[in-house]
Amino acid sequence: MGRLKTSSGGTGSTSLTSERTPPATTASTMTTSSSSSGHMVTASSSSSVSLNNLQTVDLKLRDSLRELYFLIHQVQEERARGEHNLTNITKTHERMQIEQKISPYFKSKLRGLYNTAMQDAESESQLLRKALDKIAEIKSLQEQGQVHRPKQIMRRGVLMNLLQQNAITLPLWIGKPGERPPPLCGAVSAEPNYIAKTGDKVAARVRSTDGEENWILAEVVAYNSNSCRYEVDDIDAEEGKERHTLSRRRIVPLPIWKVSPETDPEALFPKGALVLALYPQTTCFYRALVHDPPELTSSDYSVLFEDTSYPEGYSPPLSVAQRYVIACRDDRKK
């Protein structure tokens, strides 16, 4: 499947072209293949291992969904207790207004009620954090399950809609007071020794058949700790038809949490920052300047893509989700 991308020609016009064609069928499509240790693995045994992995993932997924169900019920119960206490606080204040005095009795009662309210809020907060962690675990298991299932060729419209949904459902980071956003939260880069997991979506710098290098949206297939190289699949190609083996410096993990501009604005790229952003309706990342960072949790970045077809050298502002805006790792000289 070719990728639709924007490219500026010599006349400065912008057009949609096919980036590349899939390479020739590799030996991995044959009945047998050689593993790194030199042993021969039959297709049937490989399928059996994949089926066992899929069954294991499905069992873990069911258990996690059951745990999330109980956590949600605990949150509701804790919230009901908290609301009851808040009602008592309101009634106490109403009685104080009627009597028009603050007696030692009311002071003592309110102190106890407010302490209880704070404890209720902390308990509810802890349960909500557990629920959010469980949701993130479920999403990870779902992605693992997709890795072990045969991939289906998607129509472009379906793929674009799926990428948009992935961006919308990206978990929101909610830290404790004073807690700093962790790596891979918004604009916060991954730790230097971070290794992306199988099934993770990443930006990958690949070289096409004509020698041109592009940053594409890809999925991690495997990581070789001996060679420190990734195997990734082009997200916009049939499984295995555009597989690349790349060094770690050619891989940039995508954020795994969204950032709230109200609570953690420092974890967002500021206005004027140079970034790599996924061009709308494509699966390619291009250099861009942040025009405006998100203003709300549900908002996107507004970015200006480099484009020589415009007198200013940049496109008009375009919206790109937090999920698909990353630090610029382009080695090209400015």
Side-chain angles (χ1 to χ4, degrees), residues 210-227:
D210 60 4
E212 182 184 1
E213 292 199 338
N214 295 290
W215 284 97
I216 67 168
L217 182 60
E219 182 177 285
V220 174
V221 176
Y223 177 75
N224 188 322
S225 57
N226 294 323
S227 63

Side-chain angles (χ1 to χ4, degrees), residues 140-157:
S140 176
L141 287 169
Q142 288 175 330
E143 290 181 353
Q144 290 179 39
Q146 291 172 0
V147 169
H148 297 298
R149 289 184 174 88
K151 288 188 178 179
Q152 298 179 349
I153 300 176
M154 292 186 187
R155 290 183 290 110
R156 171 156 294 273

Side-chain angles (χ1 to χ4, degrees), residues 117-191:
M118 291 173 63
Q119 292 172 3
D120 290 343
E122 180 61 28
S123 297
E124 185 180 343
S125 174
Q126 290 179 359
L127 287 171
L128 286 170
R129 291 178 199 281
K130 288 181 180 179
L132 288 171
D133 289 342
K134 189 59 62 176
I135 291 172
E137 180 184 312
I138 289 169
K139 285 175 65 68
S140 176
L141 287 169
Q142 288 175 330
E143 290 181 353
Q144 290 179 39
Q146 291 172 0
V147 169
H148 297 298
R149 289 184 174 88
K151 288 188 178 179
Q152 298 179 349
I153 300 176
M154 292 186 187
R155 290 183 290 110
R156 171 156 294 273
V158 175
L159 176 60
M160 294 300 108
N161 183 62
L162 180 61
L163 296 181
Q164 183 182 13
Q165 289 300 315
N166 285 342
I168 293 173
T169 58
L170 193 67
L172 175 66
W173 165 256
I174 302 177
K176 297 179 180 179
E179 186 177 10
R180 296 174 62 87
L184 293 180
C185 180
V188 183
S189 300
E191 295 283 1

